[in-house]
């Protein structure tokens, strides 16, 4: 393989890179399910918590985030049932490592704020952590909506420093809408369009 890569012209090398990106983009688009699953779960949990705080006024509002366990269970079951791809590119591996890092970072943030007890300040940090995954994924697969969603998350995180906790719950819903849900549907539409062309 090394000898083959040494014999490639610059144009052929670019074509190989483009091909890897397109294959990964198709795989990510095929997995838009996960963007939509996690997007809708976070969207629903943030709105449910807002309702529990503002209208129900219960101290048990944090229970809304137990919806995330549904996401973990569905992800594990779906991952176990899905046939692994035969060919994985460096971009595939990079994306996997990026999202593993985001997951670990989210767990660490949750543990820190659970221990500290000032959970109302955690929203911007959750948004910033998953926006990194969205931005890098968007750049690697050259899908602009993910990048723009991440940029919107950065603006929302800054805005959260000027708003109260219930408003931050609503802003969390907005952040996940622009960074996960909308790009997830756009990825799915693009994947379906590509499948029709084949």
């Amino acid at each position: 393989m090394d000898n083959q890569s040494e014999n490639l012209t610059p144009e052929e090398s670019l074509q190989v890179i483009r091909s890897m990106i397109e294959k990964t983009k198709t795989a990510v688009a095929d997995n838009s399910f996960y963007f939509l699953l996690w997007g809708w779960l976070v969207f629903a949990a943030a709105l449910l918590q807002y309702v529990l705080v503002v209208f129900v006024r219960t101290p048990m509002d944090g229970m809304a985030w137990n919806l995330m366990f549904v996401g973990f269970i569905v992800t594990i079951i779906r991952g176990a049932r899905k046939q692994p791809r035969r060919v994985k590119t460096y971009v595939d591996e990079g994306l996997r490592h990026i999202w593993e890092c985001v997951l670990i970072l989210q767990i660490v943030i949750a543990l820190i704020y659970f221990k500290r007890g000032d959970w109302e300040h955690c929203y911007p940090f959750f948004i910033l952590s998953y926006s990194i995954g969205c931005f890098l994924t968007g750049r690697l697969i050259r899908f602009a909506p993910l990048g723009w969603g991440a940029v919107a998350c950065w603006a929302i995180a800054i805005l959260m420093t000027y708003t109260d906790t219930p408003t931050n719950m609503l802003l969390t819903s907005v952040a996940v809408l622009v960074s996960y849900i909308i790009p997830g549907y756009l990825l799915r539409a693009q994947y379906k369009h590509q499948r029709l062309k084949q």
Side-chain angles (χ1 to χ4, degrees), residues 22-23 25-27 29-30 187-198:
E22 282 306 311
K23 285 178 184 170
K25 192 174 188 177
T26 301
D30 188 22
L187 270 170
R188 176 175 282 181
Q190 187 179 66
Y191 176 69
K192 286 181 179 177
H193 180 69
Q194 286 175 346
R195 291 293 296 265
L196 286 172
K197 286 170 71 175
Q198 292 175 353

Side-chain angles (χ1 to χ4, degrees), residues 26-38 69-85 188 191-192 195:
T26 301
V28 172
D30 188 22
N31 289 323
S32 61
F33 171 84
Y34 295 108
F35 277 100
L36 295 173
L37 169 70
W38 288 100
F69 291 113
V70 173
F72 284 117
I73 292 167
V74 172
T75 298
I76 290 166
I77 292 171
R78 186 175 168 99
R81 287 183 178 173
K82 192 159 187 173
Q83 293 290 334
R85 289 175 61 201
R188 176 175 282 181
Y191 176 69
K192 286 181 179 177
R195 291 293 296 265

Side-chain angles (χ1 to χ4, degrees), residues 164-182:
D164 61 8
T165 300
T167 303
N168 286 349
M169 295 170 190
L170 291 177
L171 288 172
T172 299
S173 295
V174 173
V176 81
L177 181 69
V178 298
S179 62
Y180 271 62
I181 297 172
I182 293 173

